[in-house]
Amino acid sequence: MASMMVQPALMMSRHHPRRPPFVKHVKTGERLNVGRIMLPIRHVAASSSHRDSRKPSVEQVASATDDRIAMTDVEKEKPVRPFWGREWLPNDVFRLVLFVGSHLVCLSAPFYFTWPAFWVGLSVGIITGWFGITLSYHRNLSHKSFNLPKWLEYTFAYCGVLAGQGNPIDWVSTHRFHHQFTDTDKDPHSPNEGFWFSHVLWVFDKTYLIAKCGEPDNVGDLRKQPFYRFIENTYYLHLLAFALLLYTAGGIPFFVWGVVMRAMISLHVTFLVNSACHKWGERAWNTSDSSMNNWWVALLTFGEGWHNNHHAFEYSARQGLEWWQIDMTWVVIRMLEALGLATDVKLPTEQQKKQMAL
């Protein structure tokens, strides 16, 4: 396995010339099977532990651009995996029942509408989605885009727990696999398998996920911390306790709007990054996948919709790289950095941008 040392001049200030530490690269000359096309590549992501010796240089990041093909321009043929006629694990059934049941509860939302319940739902949605999923689960835990004091890291992560999108270990593992195998047959929510599969159907097929990616062995950095192991083992108890708290505070309206309606809206908004941002939008960087920048998804997800930017520079704490690309999560990170709470904030260098530009 080839690995290159990063030049010291590229490690100055907040600029981070490397891809995430869980990424390594296969040897030059290997070919990637995507649909009916064998793509010649110089480097492709594969699993790795967090070891500095495997962090690629700027030249490695850029060298794969010569032979890349936009995935949206390639005709893909992949058999559709049956939704019903397959093995269903108990966890798959539980998730489906919870998902369908929650949507049925949402149908009652107009009948239990009150302004206090609405504002509770909106406030909880912003806290859990913005600080929990986008800032913590994604940019801090998945990509190590910046560091936080442990007490603050755990606080933001717990906000993500209350979002109802899974415990940190599972969420981060799936997302790292996505970047490792983007738009290939091993992508956990590959857009090549259809819009609805990439949006939500993948959630109900644990067997398929394991067959694609194997066991979640890419989150050793989280598993060694007791806090994250505790959350993994008690995840649903935290959701239940929070639901009871809101029900006690405001009855059925608080439960419907502050728990169920809020969680389902947040869930689908997050899933739009997996589906819509691989189907609609604009490309600014020469990545080997179908990721796109989508402004309206960015507005809904506090900056996550600048998805082509993200796939070009996975480690970057800032995803809205242009001045007009609204990225509210980056605003929070900058504030935390100014307060001395966020450190080692990573950004792409101008040299990297030039090498990845279309």
Side-chain angles (χ1 to χ4, degrees):
M1 181 62 65
S3 64
M4 302 181 65
M5 296 299 293
V6 179
Q7 296 297 323
L10 295 176
M11 299 179 67
M12 299 175 61
S13 185
R14 302 196 321 271
H15 298 298
H16 197 274
R18 306 170 305 200
R19 295 170 75 90
F22 53 87
V23 173
K24 65 182 179 181
H25 292 79
V26 298
K27 295 179 179 179
T28 299
E30 295 187 6
R31 301 173 74 85
L32 174 63
N33 186 1
V34 181
R36 299 188 308 170
I37 304 299
M38 293 292 290
L39 296 179
I41 58 174
R42 286 189 171 87
H43 299 91
V44 64
S47 63
S48 174
S49 61
H50 292 250
R51 287 179 285 184
D52 290 342
S53 61
R54 304 200 177 188
K55 296 174 182 176
S57 66
V58 175
E59 289 77 11
Q60 284 179 304
V61 174
S63 63
T65 62
D66 296 341
D67 302 310
R68 284 172 172 174
I69 299 175
M71 294 292 96
T72 51
D73 297 331
V74 178
E75 182 182 357
K76 310 173 188 69
E77 285 187 356
K78 181 174 179 59
V80 177
R81 178 170 171 81
F83 184 70
W84 297 111
R86 59 172 177 81
E87 179 184 7
W88 281 79
L89 299 179
N91 186 58
D92 298 334
V93 176
F94 175 76
R95 287 187 175 193
L96 181 62
V97 171
L98 185 63
F99 183 80
V100 173
S102 296
H103 282 75
L104 292 176
V105 171
C106 289
L107 296 178
S108 68
F111 303 102
Y112 291 102
F113 176 85
T114 65
W115 281 112
F118 172 83
W119 291 117
V120 165
L122 181 62
S123 300
V124 174
I126 290 174
I127 293 172
T128 59
W130 190 358
F131 300 107
I133 297 300
T134 300
L135 186 144
S136 174
Y137 274 26
H138 189 206
R139 302 194 196 186
N140 182 225
L141 300 183
S142 295
H143 294 291
K144 305 295 183 182
S145 297
F146 56 95
N147 295 325
L148 294 171
K150 281 300 176 182
W151 67 268
L152 188 57
E153 174 189 320
Y154 293 161
T155 299
F156 285 145
Y158 195 76
C159 291
V161 171
L162 299 182
Q165 297 185 22
N167 67 76
I169 288 178
D170 284 347
W171 200 103
V172 170
S173 176
T174 300
H175 189 70
R176 289 178 177 177
F177 278 136
H178 168 62
H179 279 275
Q180 180 181 333
F181 302 119
T182 306
D183 286 10
T184 70
D185 290 345
K186 291 187 176 182
D187 188 339
H189 38 74
S190 173
N192 298 343
E193 300 188 55
F195 179 88
W196 289 110
F197 177 86
S198 65
H199 186 76
V200 69
L201 296 183
W202 64 274
V203 173
F204 312 114
D205 202 341
K206 184 69 172 180
T207 300
Y208 195 32
L209 177 62
I210 294 176
K212 284 182 168 190
C213 306
E215 296 293 338
D217 57 357
N218 56 352
V219 283
D221 56 317
L222 300 185
R223 284 198 181 279
K224 69 182 181 181
Q225 301 182 55
F227 173 79
Y228 293 114
R229 296 198 305 271
F230 171 73
I231 293 297
E232 181 184 32
N233 294 329
T234 59
Y235 171 67
Y236 286 107
L237 294 179
H238 298 275
L239 298 185
L240 179 61
F242 186 64
L244 290 176
L245 176 65
L246 288 188
Y247 176 78
T248 302
I252 294 179
F254 273 35
F255 173 78
V256 171
W257 284 91
V259 178
V260 184
M261 192 72 170
R262 176 267 310 170
M264 290 302 99
I265 292 175
S266 178
L267 187 70
H268 283 292
V269 165
T270 299
F271 285 171
L272 283 173
V273 179
N274 300 335
S275 54
C277 287
H278 282 263
K279 187 175 181 64
W280 301 300
E282 303 291 335
R283 291 172 55 81
W285 309 101
N286 196 4
T287 61
S288 61
D289 51 56
S290 63
S291 60
M292 297 187 183
N293 290 333
N294 187 303
W295 66 267
W296 56 269
V297 176
L299 291 178
L300 293 173
T301 56
F302 310 104
E304 300 292 85
W306 308 117
H307 204 48
N308 187 231
N309 294 354
H310 175 51
H311 274 260
F313 312 105
E314 300 164 13
Y315 54 82
S316 178
R318 180 180 183 180
Q319 295 189 12
L321 297 178
E322 301 293 340
W323 67 267
W324 50 267
Q325 293 178 335
I326 299 175
D327 184 355
M328 295 306 298
T329 304
W330 169 240
V331 174
V332 175
I333 296 172
R334 286 286 286 142
M335 292 176 60
L336 293 173
E337 185 182 30
L339 293 172
L341 295 173
T343 58
D344 192 22
V345 179
K346 302 175 181 68
L347 296 171
T349 64
E350 290 303 316
Q351 181 183 356
Q352 288 178 300
K353 292 180 181 179
K354 291 179 181 178
Q355 291 174 325
M356 290 298 292
L358 289 172

